């Protein structure tokens, strides 16, 4: 298990936990990022927000938040 | 409204009332427009400033009223949009809810459906974007899914209006026989259900408990710790303490037993339910691959290329706007010149009256001075609409998040800022997408520094009058840039003093790139341009007249003007008037920043609306000259001011006193007079300090 930001770009991982505040976790869930879902990291520079693909949609997620999304790589 | 509501009962042949729900970017607006056509009405929900759109259509022998709910991902209490959406469903109890779903992104979109289902209102699902879903290789067994979810499903392609007849027919069918559209609700598993049952039991035994939209929903919301529902029940329940202690015990119990927040557990079960249904009814035949969106994103969100591309886009937007606007501006100018002449011609020479002066100088001059710039503003809104509809705007916010974060703002603050180039008022309203109050207030307070369309007339007047052609575009660009830089600095200051604390995490959907359709782009453009026009139509006419009075009365005594040539006489008259006196009074202070009493007088008028500054300058300089060949305003300005002064005037107008409407909007949106007062005083002081420095240094050089 590791933070989303540790993934290689273009690799897939399953979300295991979202350690946001209460509001943030619920909002991410509503948008389709919740434990169990498979996400693809599309872009993750050295700083700034990352781009994540989950289901059919794509999200920009701030770095601070992305670090609190724990994932497990899948192949 | 209330009469309509009564006649629209579920049994009669009266009107059918439908609420339209859906995620942002699902094509909800497109469906709404396709259903209702031009018969729409836009207003606001009382209290909160969330837009309320209503429309209607006729099908068969029935009339259907449609209310468009704000686009939301869920129905929690975390944003005003979500609260409004569920309040409408609960309080107005429509005959049915039509939920627009992006079929190419089914599971995420169905999340909202599970929550709508719990409100126990008949539900129709619209699977929009079926063309995209097909292209992505999804095969959806509609009949099976409809059976599983126990709701009718209609497939549509919104922008091609496919499936609209079927949708209308389905709405009628469900209104006639709602029993077929009672959606299945999610079973939350033994642990949660047990706690829910306990809460429901207590609610049932409590006399004050509201009956809508059902005890199960209320219990679920309490378990999710929904603040709004909790507050409401606190007021209504006979013994709230008894219920709440059970809720708290249940929450603690679940957290201990399963080790997770009940909210998260509930969300898990909803997704579990959805994914179960989708596994049965949806097949994906194509593996996901690199899409065109991927490739575009690779370039435009690139760390090196992203920012230059963004700046180039912005430059193109401004450049195109001004080039294309040139011709229509000329036509408008000519039209108003003709109107002035025609109206002035009603009075035979020598019999000019106060009424003539008011009509020609006050009304026509004032309104004309503003409407001349309408083409620029419309084109700017058009450009913004294209950026939004194509999907680039969300990327811009993404790109800007890093920068915005540095100055303590949120990537999403960027969209209000961009709208601010059109008009500060809708921009302030757009700050509602910011969930954190500190983020939101900071954005609101600095927004007036983003140069709005109404200030454009001022630059468009001064820049060509004082500066050579090749310097004009860079100078205009520069003025805008100064506003942006000041906004950034001020935001940083506010975040490190008044609004210290964390910014909310940035999470934003990046919709796929789409070719914007002409129809939706024009609709978006028109909605904003109309807001601007309404302002111009009402406030500006009224103030042009009021200012005409202020600048015409009291009249100077006869002996003061005797023997002067008409221009000197006009100037004497003006300096004798109320506005002139105020201008004179402030002149000693304003001199230091390059203003004389005339420009100061015009500034006073600009509080009503920035666009009045130009109209006002026109009046200030042209009053009493109507029977002469009046010199164009630019020439008069060139004669009276230096380029440095012109620059300082523009600078002061950029920074100082936001217009009345902005102040009022800030007040409404922030819910306190403190913030607009701070905005007003703070920005005026800032304007004075900055312009003072520029003018004094400029004089030395
Ligand atoms: N390909 C495709 N595009 C659509 C469909 N429906 C709407 N759109 C486009 O999707 C974009 C977003 O639609 P809009 O109605 O503004 O979405 P809203 O945010 O849900 O109101 C617009 O550019 C529409 O033209 C559809 O069925 N298929």
């Amino acid at each position: 298990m590791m933070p989303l930001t540790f993934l290689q770009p273009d690799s897939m991982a399953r979300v295991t936990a979202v350690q946001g505040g209460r509001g943030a976790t619920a909002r991410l869930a509503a948008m389709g990022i919740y434990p169990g879902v498979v996400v693809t990291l599309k872009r993750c520079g050295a700083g700034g927000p990352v781009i994540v693909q989950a289901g059919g949609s794509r999200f920009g997620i701030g770095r601070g938040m992305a670090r609190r999304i724990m994932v497990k790589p899948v192949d | 409204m209330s009469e309509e509501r009564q006649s629209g009962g579920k049994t009669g042949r009266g009107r059918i009332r439908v609420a339209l729900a859906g995620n942002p970017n699902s094509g909800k607006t497109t469906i709404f427009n396709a259903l209702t056509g031009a018969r729409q009405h836009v207003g606001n929900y009382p209290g909160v400033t969330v837009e309320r759109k209503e429309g209607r259509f006729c099908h068969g022998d029935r009339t259907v009223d449609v209310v468009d709910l704000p686009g939301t991902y869920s129905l929690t209490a975390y944003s005003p949009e979500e609260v409004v959406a569920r309040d409408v469903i609960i309080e107005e109890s429509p005959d049915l809810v039509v939920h627009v779903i992006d079929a190419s992104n089914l599971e995420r979109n169905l999340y909202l459906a599970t929550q709508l289902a719990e409100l126990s209102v008949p539900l129709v699902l619209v699977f929009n974007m079926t063309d995209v879903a097909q292209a992505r290789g999804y095969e959806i067994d509609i009949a099976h899914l409809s059976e599983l979810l126990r709701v009718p499903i209609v497939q549509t392609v919104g922008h091609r209006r496919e499936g609209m007849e079927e949708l209308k027919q389905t709405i009628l069918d469900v209104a006639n026989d709602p029993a077929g559209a009672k959606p299945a609700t999610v079973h939350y598993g033994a642990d949660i259900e047990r706690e829910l049952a306990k809460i429901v039991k207590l609610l049932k035994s409590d006399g004050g408990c509201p009956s809508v939209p059902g005890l199960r929903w209320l219990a679920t919301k309490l378990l999710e710790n929904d603040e709004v529902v909790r507050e409401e029940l606190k007021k209504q329940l006979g013994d709230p303490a008894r219920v709440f202690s059970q809720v708290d015990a249940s929450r603690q119990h679940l957290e201990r037993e399963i080790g997770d927040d009940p909210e998260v557990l509930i969300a898990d079960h909803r997704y579990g339910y959805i994914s179960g249904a989708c596994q049965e009814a949806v097949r994906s035949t194509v593996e996901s691959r690199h899409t065109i969106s991927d490739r575009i994103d690779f370039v435009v969100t690139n760390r090196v290329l992203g920012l230059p591309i963004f700046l180039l886009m912005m430059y193109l937007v401004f450049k195109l706007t001004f080039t294309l606007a040139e011709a229509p501006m000329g036509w408008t100018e000519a039209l108003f010149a003709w109107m002035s002449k025609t109206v002035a011609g009603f009075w035979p020479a020598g019999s000019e009256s106060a009424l003539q002066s008011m009509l020609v100088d006050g009304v026509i001059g004032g309104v004309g001075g503003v409407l001349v710039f309408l083409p620029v503003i419309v084109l700017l809104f058009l450009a913004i609409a294209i950026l939004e509809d194509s999907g680039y705007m969300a990327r811009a916010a993404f790109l800007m998040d890093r920068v915005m974060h540095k100055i303590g703002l949120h990537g999403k603050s960027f969209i209000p800022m961009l709208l601010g180039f059109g008009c500060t008022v809708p921009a302030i309203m757009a700050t509602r997408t910011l969930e954190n109050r500190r983020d939101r207030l900071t954005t609101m307070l600095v927004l007036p520094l983003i140069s709005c369309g109404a200030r454009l007339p001022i630059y468009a007047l001064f820049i060509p009058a004082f500066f050579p052609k090749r310097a004009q575009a860079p100078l205009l660009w520069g003025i805008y840039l100064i506003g942006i830089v000041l906004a950034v600095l001020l935001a940083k200051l506010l975040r490190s003093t008044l609004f210290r604390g964390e910014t909310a995490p940035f999470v934003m959907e990046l919709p796929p790139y789409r070719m914007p359709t002409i129809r939706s782009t024009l609709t978006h453009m028109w909605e904003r341009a109309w807001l601007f026009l309404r302002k111009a139509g009402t406030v500006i006419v009224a103030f042009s007249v009021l200012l005409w009075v202020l600048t015409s009365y009291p009249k100077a005594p006869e002996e003061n003007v005797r023997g002067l040539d008409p221009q000197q006489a006009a100037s004497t008259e003006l300096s004798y008037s109320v506005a002139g006196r105020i201008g004179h009074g402030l002149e000693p202070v304003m001199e230091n920043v390059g203003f004389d009493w005339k420009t100061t007088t015009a500034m006073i008028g600009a509080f009503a609306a920035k666009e009045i500054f130009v109209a006002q300058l026109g009046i200030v300089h042209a009053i009493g000259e109507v029977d002469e060949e009046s010199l164009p305003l630019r020439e008069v300005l060139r004669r009276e001011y230096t380029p440095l002064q012109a620059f300082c005037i523009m600078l002061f107008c950029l920074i100082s006193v936001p217009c009345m409407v902005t102040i009022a909007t800030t007040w409404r949106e922030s819910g306190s007079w403190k913030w607009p007062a701070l905005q007003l005083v703070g920005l005026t002081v800032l304007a004075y300090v900055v312009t003072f420095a520029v003018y004094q240094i400029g004089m030395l050089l």
Side-chain angles (χ1 to χ4, degrees), chain A residues 22-23 25-32 34 42-43 45 47-51 56-62 65, chain B residues 73-74 78 105 108 111 136 225 251 263-264 271 294 297-298 301 303 398 401-402 435 505-510:
Chain A
R22 287 172 15 81
T25 308
R27 245 173 53 81
L28 277 175
M31 295 173 93
Y34 52 94
K42 285 289 178 184
R43 178 174 288 286
V50 302
I51 299 185
S57 7
R58 184 166 307 207
F59 302 94
I61 301 180
M65 188 68 230
Chain B
Y73 292 105
S74 68
Y78 289 118
N105 191 359
R108 205 281 303 284
Y111 188 74
R136 293 219 184 130
N225 207 16
R251 283 180 57 83
E263 254 169 296
V264 177
Y271 273 115
D294 270 332
D297 266 345
F298 187 77
T301 64
R303 265 167 59 77
F398 171 84
D401 183 58
R402 197 163 177 203
E435 286 128 72
F506 173 81
V507 182
M508 187 169 182
E509 185 169 2
L510 307 176

Side-chain angles (χ1 to χ4, degrees), chain B residues 20-78:
Chain B
L20 203 61
N23 283 185
N25 302 312
S26 59
K28 194 160 67 70
T29 311
T30 310
I31 298 286
F32 179 75
N33 290 340
L35 277 179
T36 61
R39 273 168 292 181
Q40 304 185 356
H41 171 78
V42 183
N44 263 334
Y45 288 100
V48 286
T49 28
V50 175
E51 200 173 77
R52 182 188 174 109
K53 252 201 248 166
E54 286 171 70
R56 93 164 62 117
F57 67 88
C58 295
H59 188 76
D61 58 342
R62 304 291 297 263
T63 305
V64 181
D65 287 317
V66 187
V67 48
D68 190 21
L69 301 177
T72 61
Y73 292 105
S74 68
L75 293 178
T76 58
Y78 289 118

